Coordinates of all heavy atoms in Angstrom, one line a residue:
K168 N 13.5 -188.5 -39.3 CA 13.0 -189.5 -40.3 C 12.7 -188.8 -41.7 O 12.4 -189.4 -42.7 CB 11.8 -190.2 -39.8 CG 12.0 -191.1 -38.5 CD 10.7 -191.8 -38.2 CE 10.9 -192.7 -36.9 NZ 11.1 -191.8 -35.7
T169 N 12.6 -187.5 -41.6 CA 12.2 -186.7 -42.8 C 12.9 -185.3 -42.7 O 13.3 -184.9 -41.6 CB 10.7 -186.5 -42.8 OG1 10.3 -185.6 -43.9 CG2 10.1 -185.9 -41.5
S170 N 12.9 -184.7 -43.8 CA 13.4 -183.3 -43.9 C 12.3 -182.3 -44.0 O 12.5 -181.1 -44.2 CB 14.4 -183.1 -45.0 OG 13.8 -183.5 -46.3
L171 N 11.1 -182.7 -43.8 CA 9.9 -181.9 -43.8 C 9.6 -181.3 -42.4 O 9.5 -182.0 -41.5 CB 8.7 -182.7 -44.2 CG 7.4 -181.9 -44.7 CD1 7.7 -181.1 -45.9 CD2 6.3 -183.0 -44.9
V172 N 9.7 -179.9 -42.4 CA 9.6 -179.3 -41.0 C 8.4 -178.4 -40.9 O 7.9 -177.9 -41.9 CB 10.9 -178.5 -40.7 CG1 12.1 -179.4 -40.9 CG2 11.0 -177.3 -41.7
S173 N 7.9 -178.3 -39.7 CA 6.7 -177.5 -39.4 C 7.2 -176.0 -39.5 O 8.3 -175.6 -39.1 CB 6.2 -177.9 -38.0 OG 5.2 -177.0 -37.6
T174 N 6.3 -175.2 -40.0 CA 6.6 -173.7 -40.1 C 5.6 -173.0 -39.2 O 4.7 -173.6 -38.5 CB 6.5 -173.2 -41.5 OG1 5.0 -173.3 -41.9 CG2 7.3 -174.0 -42.4
G175 N 5.7 -171.6 -39.2 CA 4.8 -170.9 -38.3 C 3.5 -170.4 -38.9 O 3.0 -169.4 -38.5
F176 N 2.9 -171.3 -39.8 CA 1.7 -170.9 -40.4 C 0.6 -172.1 -40.3 O 1.0 -173.2 -40.6 CB 1.9 -170.6 -41.9 CG 3.1 -169.7 -42.1 CD1 4.3 -170.2 -42.6 CD2 3.1 -168.4 -41.7 CE1 5.4 -169.4 -42.7 CE2 4.1 -167.6 -41.9 CZ 5.3 -168.0 -42.4
S177 N -0.5 -171.8 -39.8 CA -1.5 -172.9 -39.6 C -3.0 -172.3 -39.6 O -3.2 -171.1 -39.5 CB -1.3 -173.6 -38.3 OG -1.4 -172.7 -37.2
V178 N -3.9 -173.2 -39.8 CA -5.3 -172.8 -39.6 C -5.9 -173.8 -38.5 O -5.8 -175.0 -38.6 CB -6.1 -173.1 -41.0 CG1 -7.6 -172.7 -40.7 CG2 -5.6 -172.2 -42.1
L179 N -6.6 -173.1 -37.6 CA -7.2 -173.8 -36.5 C -8.7 -173.7 -36.6 O -9.2 -172.5 -36.6 CB -6.8 -173.3 -35.1 CG -5.3 -173.7 -34.7 CD1 -4.8 -172.9 -33.6 CD2 -5.3 -175.2 -34.3
P180 N -9.4 -174.8 -36.9 CA -10.9 -174.7 -37.0 C -11.6 -174.2 -35.7 O -11.0 -174.5 -34.6 CB -11.3 -176.1 -37.3 CG -10.1 -176.8 -37.8 CD -9.0 -176.1 -37.0
A181 N -12.7 -173.6 -35.8 CA -13.4 -173.1 -34.7 C -13.7 -174.2 -33.6 O -13.6 -174.0 -32.4 CB -14.7 -172.4 -35.1
A182 N -14.0 -175.4 -34.1 CA -14.3 -176.5 -33.2 C -13.1 -176.9 -32.3 O -13.3 -177.5 -31.2 CB -14.8 -177.7 -34.0
T183 N -11.9 -176.6 -32.7 CA -10.7 -176.9 -31.9 C -10.4 -175.9 -30.8 O -9.5 -176.2 -30.0 CB -9.5 -177.2 -32.8 OG1 -9.1 -175.9 -33.4 CG2 -9.8 -178.1 -33.9
L184 N -11.0 -174.7 -30.9 CA -10.6 -173.6 -30.0 C -10.7 -173.9 -28.5 O -9.9 -173.6 -27.7 CB -11.3 -172.3 -30.4 CG -11.0 -171.8 -31.8 CD1 -11.6 -170.5 -32.0 CD2 -9.6 -171.9 -32.2
P185 N -11.8 -174.6 -28.1 CA -12.0 -175.0 -26.7 C -10.8 -175.9 -26.2 O -10.3 -175.8 -25.1 CB -13.3 -175.6 -26.6 CG -14.1 -175.0 -27.7 CD -13.1 -174.9 -28.8
L186 N -10.4 -176.8 -27.1 CA -9.4 -177.7 -26.8 C -8.0 -176.9 -26.6 O -7.2 -177.2 -25.8 CB -9.2 -178.7 -27.9 CG -8.2 -179.9 -27.7 CD1 -8.7 -181.1 -28.5 CD2 -6.8 -179.5 -28.2
L187 N -7.8 -175.9 -27.5 CA -6.6 -175.1 -27.5 C -6.6 -174.4 -26.1 O -5.5 -174.3 -25.5 CB -6.6 -174.1 -28.6 CG -5.4 -173.1 -28.7 CD1 -5.1 -172.7 -30.2 CD2 -5.6 -171.9 -27.8
V188 N -7.7 -173.8 -25.7 CA -7.7 -173.0 -24.5 C -7.4 -173.9 -23.3 O -6.6 -173.5 -22.4 CB -9.1 -172.4 -24.2 CG1 -9.2 -171.8 -22.9 CG2 -9.4 -171.3 -25.3
E189 N -7.8 -175.1 -23.2 CA -7.5 -176.1 -22.2 C -6.1 -176.5 -22.2 O -5.4 -176.6 -21.2 CB -8.5 -177.3 -22.2 CG -9.9 -177.0 -21.8 CD -9.9 -176.4 -20.4 OE1 -9.3 -177.1 -19.5 OE2 -10.6 -175.4 -20.2
F190 N -5.6 -176.8 -23.4 CA -4.2 -177.3 -23.6 C -3.2 -176.1 -23.1 O -2.2 -176.4 -22.6 CB -4.0 -177.7 -25.0 CG -2.6 -178.2 -25.2 CD1 -2.2 -179.4 -24.8 CD2 -1.6 -177.4 -25.9 CE1 -0.9 -179.9 -25.0 CE2 -0.4 -177.9 -26.2 CZ 0.0 -179.2 -25.7
A191 N -3.6 -174.9 -23.4 CA -2.7 -173.8 -23.1 C -2.6 -173.6 -21.6 O -1.5 -173.0 -21.2 CB -3.3 -172.5 -23.7
K192 N -3.5 -174.0 -20.8 CA -3.4 -173.9 -19.4 C -2.2 -174.8 -18.9 O -1.6 -174.5 -17.9 CB -4.7 -174.4 -18.7 CG -5.9 -173.5 -19.0 CD -7.2 -174.0 -18.3 CE -8.3 -173.1 -18.7 NZ -9.6 -173.7 -18.1
K193 N -1.9 -175.9 -19.6 CA -0.9 -176.8 -19.2 C 0.4 -176.5 -19.9 O 1.5 -176.6 -19.3 CB -1.3 -178.2 -19.5 CG -2.5 -178.8 -18.7 CD -2.9 -180.1 -19.2 CE -3.4 -180.2 -20.6 NZ -4.0 -181.5 -21.0
Q194 N 0.4 -176.1 -21.1 CA 1.6 -175.8 -21.9 C 1.4 -174.5 -22.7 O 1.3 -174.5 -23.9 CB 1.9 -177.0 -22.9 CG 2.1 -178.3 -22.2 CD 2.8 -179.3 -23.1 OE1 3.6 -179.0 -23.9 NE2 2.3 -180.6 -23.0
P195 N 1.5 -173.4 -21.9 CA 1.2 -172.1 -22.5 C 2.2 -171.6 -23.6 O 1.8 -170.7 -24.4 CB 1.2 -171.1 -21.3 CG 2.1 -171.8 -20.3 CD 1.8 -173.3 -20.5
D196 N 3.4 -172.2 -23.6 CA 4.4 -171.7 -24.6 C 4.6 -172.7 -25.8 O 5.5 -172.5 -26.5 CB 5.7 -171.4 -23.9 CG 6.5 -170.4 -24.7 OD1 5.9 -169.4 -25.2 OD2 7.8 -170.5 -24.7
N197 N 3.8 -173.7 -25.8 CA 4.0 -174.8 -26.8 C 3.0 -174.7 -27.9 O 2.0 -175.4 -28.0 CB 3.9 -176.1 -26.1 CG 4.3 -177.3 -27.0 OD1 4.7 -177.0 -28.1 ND2 4.2 -178.5 -26.5
V198 N 3.2 -173.8 -28.8 CA 2.3 -173.5 -30.0 C 2.2 -174.8 -30.8 O 1.1 -175.3 -31.1 CB 2.7 -172.4 -30.9 CG1 1.8 -172.2 -32.1 CG2 2.7 -171.1 -30.1
G199 N 3.3 -175.4 -31.2 CA 3.3 -176.6 -32.0 C 2.6 -177.7 -31.3 O 2.0 -178.7 -31.9
G200 N 2.6 -177.8 -29.9 CA 2.1 -178.8 -29.2 C 0.6 -179.0 -29.4 O 0.1 -180.1 -29.2
I201 N -0.1 -178.0 -29.8 CA -1.5 -178.1 -29.9 C -1.9 -179.1 -31.1 O -2.9 -179.8 -31.0 CB -2.2 -176.7 -30.2 CG1 -3.7 -176.9 -30.3 CG2 -1.7 -176.1 -31.5 CD1 -4.4 -177.4 -29.0
F202 N -1.0 -179.2 -32.1 CA -1.3 -180.1 -33.2 C -1.0 -181.5 -32.7 O -1.7 -182.5 -33.1 CB -0.5 -179.7 -34.4 CG -0.8 -178.3 -34.9 CD1 0.1 -177.3 -34.6 CD2 -1.9 -178.1 -35.6 CE1 -0.2 -176.0 -35.0 CE2 -2.2 -176.8 -36.1 CZ -1.4 -175.8 -35.7
E203 N 0.0 -181.7 -31.9 CA 0.2 -183.1 -31.3 C -0.9 -183.5 -30.4 O -1.4 -184.6 -30.4 CB 1.5 -183.0 -30.5 CG 2.8 -182.8 -31.4 CD 4.0 -182.8 -30.5 OE1 4.4 -183.9 -30.0 OE2 4.7 -181.8 -30.4
E204 N -1.5 -182.5 -29.7 CA -2.6 -182.8 -28.8 C -3.8 -183.2 -29.7 O -4.6 -184.1 -29.3 CB -3.0 -181.6 -27.9 CG -4.1 -181.7 -27.0 CD -3.9 -182.7 -25.9 OE1 -2.7 -183.2 -25.8 OE2 -4.9 -183.0 -25.1
L205 N -4.1 -182.5 -30.8 CA -5.2 -182.8 -31.7 C -5.0 -184.3 -32.1 O -6.0 -185.1 -32.1 CB -5.2 -181.9 -32.9 CG -5.7 -180.5 -32.6 CD1 -5.5 -179.6 -33.8 CD2 -7.1 -180.4 -32.1

Side-chain angles (χ1 to χ4, degrees):
K168 298 182 178 69
T169 176
S170 57
L171 193 64
V172 304
S173 175
T174 69
F176 314 109
S177 59
V178 179
L179 287 164
T183 67
L184 302 190
L186 187 153
L187 182 152
V188 171
E189 287 302 309
F190 181 74
K192 294 176 182 178
K193 298 177 289 184
Q194 298 194 40
D196 205 34
N197 189 2
V198 176
I201 185 59
F202 300 100
E203 296 181 64
E204 180 67 6
L205 289 172

